[in-house]
Amino acid sequence: MDTLGTLAKFHQEGSAQIHPVILSGGAGTRLWPLSRASYPKQLLKLASERTMLQDTAVRGLSDVGFAAPLVVCNEDHRFLVDDQLQQIGIKPQAILLEPLARNTGPAIAVAALWLLASDPDALMLVQPSDHVIASPADFHSAVMRGLGAAQAGRLVTFGVKPSRADTGYGYIQSGEPVEGVEGVFSVDRFVEKPDYDTAQRFVDSGTFFWNSGIFLLSARAYIGELSRINPAMLSACKTSTRGFTMNSPA
């Protein structure tokens, strides 16, 4: 069975639902003035006939066993995001709005809290909205490899084999294989944007990967880890989500 069929079968058999969570809060400052605060790069057509946000949403279509996407974005972009998704016929579960950007950790936490209100076994496929992925089939294959680990409560991150020493990326050093889960490794450490010589050593070692910023994780496991390592952040996120409704955007 191919990867798409396997993912669809995974969903049909009643396993935990995979919920694509699209993070669209960035301002795209490195592409200024093409990308700017009022119209960031994820809303632009840079790599295909669709915008980067639309390409991200299309990679998680329901025919591979995914739920409708959940989008986290800047409050100022709410109608732009909704309009772009409507253009490609995708209705998100919801669009969660950030009055102020608070980076990735809180955005994932708020999405997890929203999902747990209706699906205590939810798996989150967290993706930035501005990545170019040339082969959706390879992407789905990687997701399939990480499913077992995510279902077991591990927080799965996806690394990209580096093609060069690049100081613009964070790096992940892989550790020992995870027992019983083929193609999945423990993480020894994360290194954020090293200098060039260090990056070259990482590439030469063969044990480092670029940090894609894409994650597959149980919403419940993520909230559990956050309560352990940063309870203040979790408390703030819970406060900010009081009064959430389960309605999709109008």
Side-chain angles (χ1 to χ4, degrees):
M1 183 180 294
D2 62 17
T3 301
L4 301 189
T6 303
L7 281 168
K9 183 172 183 289
F10 167 82
H11 174 49
Q12 292 166 1
E13 289 179 346
S15 299
Q17 180 74 70
I18 299 174
H19 299 264
V21 175
I22 300 176
L23 306 181
S24 186
T29 54
R30 284 183 289 185
L31 282 180
W32 188 91
L34 181 64
S35 172
R36 52 202 185 277
S38 61
Y39 214 86
K41 64 180 177 180
Q42 63 266 27
L43 302 180
L44 301 175
K45 297 178 180 180
L46 298 178
S48 75
E49 73 279 1
R50 294 185 292 256
T51 68
M52 303 189 84
L53 170 68
Q54 290 171 332
D55 277 340
T56 304
V58 166
R59 285 196 293 270
L61 293 178
S62 60
D63 59 359
V64 298
F66 296 159
L70 176 63
V71 183
V72 183
C73 75
N74 187 296
E75 190 169 20
D76 293 339
H77 303 150
R78 183 253 191 267
F79 293 107
L80 293 170
V81 167
D82 195 18
D83 181 61
Q84 289 203 357
L85 294 177
Q86 287 187 38
Q87 289 172 19
I88 57 173
I90 292 180
K91 183 176 182 179
Q93 296 186 55
I95 297 175
L96 307 182
L97 306 180
E98 293 181 303
L100 296 172
R102 295 299 187 193
N103 295 320
T104 303
I108 298 176
V110 167
L113 291 168
W114 193 93
L115 288 168
L116 287 171
S118 62
D119 184 357
D121 297 318
L123 293 177
M124 308 167 65
L125 180 57
V126 180
Q127 308 161 75
S129 57
D130 58 358
H131 281 9
V132 176
I133 297 179
S135 173
D138 288 340
F139 173 67
H140 294 141
S141 179
V143 172
M144 192 64 211
R145 285 199 301 275
L147 274 177
Q151 286 186 292
R154 291 179 178 268
L155 309 184
V156 178
T157 184
F158 295 89
V160 177
K161 186 176 181 180
S163 58
R164 63 186 181 278
D166 196 310
T167 61
Y169 296 114
Y171 287 75
I172 307 169
Q173 185 175 22
S174 63
E176 295 297 317
V178 174
E179 185 177 354
V181 188
E182 184 177 357
V184 180
F185 300 84
S186 62
V187 172
D188 277 357
R189 60 173 170 150
F190 293 90
V191 181
E192 181 61 22
K193 297 180 180 177
D195 60 41
Y196 180 82
D197 289 341
T198 302
Q200 187 64 62
R201 289 198 301 273
F202 289 171
V203 174
D204 292 342
S205 76
T207 64
F208 282 84
F209 296 83
W210 286 335
N211 188 352
S212 71
I214 299 175
F215 308 96
L216 179 64
L217 39 85
S218 157
R220 182 163 45 196
Y222 181 79
I223 293 300
E225 284 298 298
L226 193 58
S227 69
R228 182 178 65 84
I229 64 175
N230 198 331
M233 179 188 293
L234 179 58
S235 177
C237 290
K238 286 181 175 179
T239 298
S240 72
T241 58
R242 285 175 186 159
F244 260 7
T245 66
M246 300 303 295
N247 295 325
S248 297

